[in-house]
Amino acid sequence: MCHDHDSRPPAAPRPAGDVAERGTLTLTSGDGTLVGAAYAAPAAPARAGVVVLPDVRGLHPYYVALAERFAEAGVPALAVDWFGRTAGTPATGTREEDFDWQAHVPQLTEQGIDTDVRAAVEYLRGRTSADLPVVTVGFCLGGSHSWRLAGGDVDVAGCAGFYGRPALVGDAADRASRPVTMLVAGADQATPVADQQALADRMRAAGADVDVAVYDGAPHSFFDRAFGEWEQACTDAWEHLLALLDRVAR
């Protein structure tokens, strides 16, 4: 998994203002599934939004906090849970440390994930404006599916991911058309850097503009405020995310 239970994301390097709203909620997906989510919004008007796609644990407190970090940077964000179809919505708003994610991850489908992301995009636009450009930002499992969405039919403006697995992107890489940001841990034992660079090349060949940042020596899950030795990498990763949002913003 990507982080310890007590881990939390680093703050954005360019805070824009106060968080006007924060909290957990339940979405209704297009097939009627109830989806746990966490929303955070800045006081300032939005120019772009973020759907946060978590790691295998679903709506962990880390991702609730990350939505707030985006709001602090002036970006409304909605973090979603993966497991509404098989585990129901989290009783406490977030998944607990003892959640049996290993039993539920194999039951995920691309169709279900895409349906839930569409619901998240619609929610963000309903809270802001109908034409809000929305970027997905994912981690590990979520990073893989964020990259996959660059070649899918969900209406997103860009796709960013940390620690993703190219095998989960599959043939969607050959249809990628949206801007992609790949934030790669140089010492990630789960996925070699060469495999991620090869994925970037496939997506570029399909026509996508792909921004790859490799953090030499950084471990899988380096984007954690507790990892003081990777503070510079975390700051740089934030800059790549904010640059993607600046690019798609209206």
Side-chain angles (χ1 to χ4, degrees):
M1 65 180 64
C2 277
H3 300 278
D4 293 335
H5 185 72
D6 294 332
S7 65
R8 295 294 183 271
R14 293 185 269 156
D18 295 334
V19 177
E21 183 179 353
R22 71 191 84 197
T24 56
L25 54 95
T26 301
L27 302 176
T28 301
S29 196
D31 60 2
T33 299
L34 298 181
V35 179
Y39 178 65
R47 298 174 57 239
V50 165
V51 173
V52 177
L53 306 181
D55 64 51
V56 292
R57 295 167 302 174
L59 191 60
H60 181 275
Y62 177 97
Y63 299 104
V64 178
L66 183 59
E68 295 180 9
R69 301 293 83 78
F70 274 110
E72 290 168 355
V75 180
L78 187 74
V80 296
D81 184 65
W82 295 119
F83 305 114
R85 288 171 184 78
T86 60
T89 56
T92 61
T94 60
R95 295 296 177 189
E96 299 295 326
E97 187 172 9
D98 62 354
F99 174 65
D100 185 14
W101 55 268
Q102 296 183 39
H104 295 277
V105 168
Q107 301 181 68
L108 292 173
T109 66
E110 292 182 359
Q111 180 180 0
I113 290 168
D114 291 359
T115 301
D116 293 349
V117 174
R118 285 190 185 93
V121 171
E122 290 172 3
Y123 181 86
L124 283 173
R125 289 177 175 156
R127 295 299 307 272
T128 54
S129 65
D131 62 350
L132 183 79
V134 176
V135 165
T136 54
V137 177
F139 292 76
C140 193
L141 174 67
S144 306
H145 285 289
S146 183
W147 295 337
R148 180 180 62 79
L149 290 167
D153 60 5
V154 179
D155 183 14
V156 293
C159 306
F162 291 77
Y163 334 127
R165 294 180 58 193
L168 291 179
V169 180
D171 293 342
D174 301 317
R175 301 187 297 273
S177 60
R178 299 164 178 86
V180 174
T181 296
M182 299 178 65
L183 301 161
V184 180
D188 192 340
Q189 298 183 2
T191 306
V193 173
D195 290 358
Q196 300 196 48
Q197 295 283 19
L199 174 64
D201 289 342
R202 285 180 66 189
M203 291 192 290
R204 289 186 182 114
D209 184 347
V210 184
D211 171 29
V212 181
V214 178
Y215 300 102
D216 292 338
H220 188 89
S221 79
F222 73 87
F223 197 67
D224 185 332
R225 71 181 183 191
F227 289 177
E229 65 269 39
W230 301 112
E231 182 177 357
Q232 184 174 351
C234 290
T235 298
D236 188 73
W238 262 118
E239 292 291 357
H240 282 270
L241 294 175
L242 295 174
L244 177 62
L245 286 159
D246 288 343
R247 175 176 176 178
V248 304
R250 294 186 179 133

